[in-house]
């Protein structure tokens, strides 16, 4: 079983619940808060092919600790809240989207840097091969010139 990354978990949540977040209308009774979207850890885990407790644990024990914060007035801004009004297991969707954007940007920077390094390695290998090939060719032509001089 492959453990999903934070990026993969958040991408899955975004894909599954973005329409729910966007469709919110105050007073329609679907949920108590626009920014806190209730999620189903089992559904997310099913898409990721992992146990639901892995998803819950990553959200509650890891991502909440990493991205939840306390405001100057002392109130908490949760990344993942166990209960918001009548809704349980809610993710702060705008905050999650910001974190997701940052993780995507980090991944892009990593792949750009890695691609540049691989390209540089390929160019170096080609340059070395051409250099060795030309050196071998120049040695043969020098030997033929010396033989021609003896004649």
């Amino acid at each position: 079983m492959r453990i999903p990354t934070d990026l993969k978990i958040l991408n899955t949540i975004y894909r599954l619940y973005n329409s729910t977040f966007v469709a919110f209308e105050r007073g329609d009774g679907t949920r108590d808060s626009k920014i806190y979207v209730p999620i189903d850890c089992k559904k997310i885990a099913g898409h990721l092919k992992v146990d639901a407790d892995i998803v819950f644990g990553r959200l509650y024990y890891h991502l909440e600790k990493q991205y939840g914060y306390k405001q100057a007035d002392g109130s908490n801004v949760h990344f993942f809240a166990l209960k918001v009004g009548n809704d349980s297991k809610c993710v702060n969707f705008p905050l999650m989207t910001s974190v997701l954007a940052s993780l995507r940007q980090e991944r892009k920077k990593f792949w750009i840097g890695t691609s540049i390094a691989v390209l540089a390695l390929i160019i170096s290998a080609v340059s070395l091969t051409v250099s060795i090939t030309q050196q071998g060719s120049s040695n043969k032509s020098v030997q033929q010139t010396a033989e021609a001089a003896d004649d």
Side-chain angles (χ1 to χ4, degrees):
M1 172 172 63
R2 189 169 186 156
I3 300 171
T5 63
D6 293 346
L7 178 62
K8 195 162 205 132
I9 292 171
L10 298 183
N11 269 328
T12 303
I13 294 170
Y14 184 83
R15 192 176 68 253
L16 294 174
Y17 293 98
N18 184 50
S19 60
T20 304
F21 172 73
V22 172
F24 177 81
E25 289 187 32
R26 199 162 297 285
D28 68 359
T30 56
R31 61 180 195 265
D32 290 339
S33 170
K34 176 169 176 75
I35 67 168
Y36 286 101
V37 177
I39 61 170
D40 181 354
C41 291
K42 287 181 184 176
K43 181 178 179 181
I44 296 162
H47 283 270
L48 297 169
K49 297 179 176 64
V50 297
D51 188 88
D53 289 331
I54 297 291
V55 173
F56 174 81
R58 289 288 283 282
L59 290 167
Y60 184 68
Y61 297 110
H62 174 67
L63 294 170
E64 167 63 21
K65 302 285 188 256
Q66 190 169 7
Y67 297 111
Y69 60 94
K70 190 174 285 244
Q71 291 186 337
D73 66 0
S75 62
N76 289 323
V77 176
H78 294 282
F79 180 85
F80 180 75
L82 290 177
K83 193 118 173 111
V84 176
N86 293 322
D87 300 323
S88 62
K89 297 180 183 167
C90 298
V91 68
N92 182 330
F93 208 81
L95 179 56
M96 186 213 67
T97 304
S98 296
V99 170
L100 179 58
S102 295
L103 292 173
R104 286 178 178 177
Q105 185 177 16
E106 285 177 32
R107 180 185 65 179
K108 184 177 177 181
K109 283 181 186 178
F110 170 79
W111 282 113
I112 288 172
T114 301
S115 299
I116 290 170
V118 168
L119 182 62
L121 183 63
I122 291 169
I123 290 170
S124 296
V126 168
S127 296
L128 181 62
T129 303
V130 168
S131 176
I132 290 171
T133 304
Q134 285 180 346
Q135 187 178 16
S137 297
S138 65
N139 284 345
K140 288 180 183 176
S141 64
V142 170
Q143 290 173 350
Q144 290 173 355
T145 307
E147 290 173 1
D150 287 341
D151 288 338

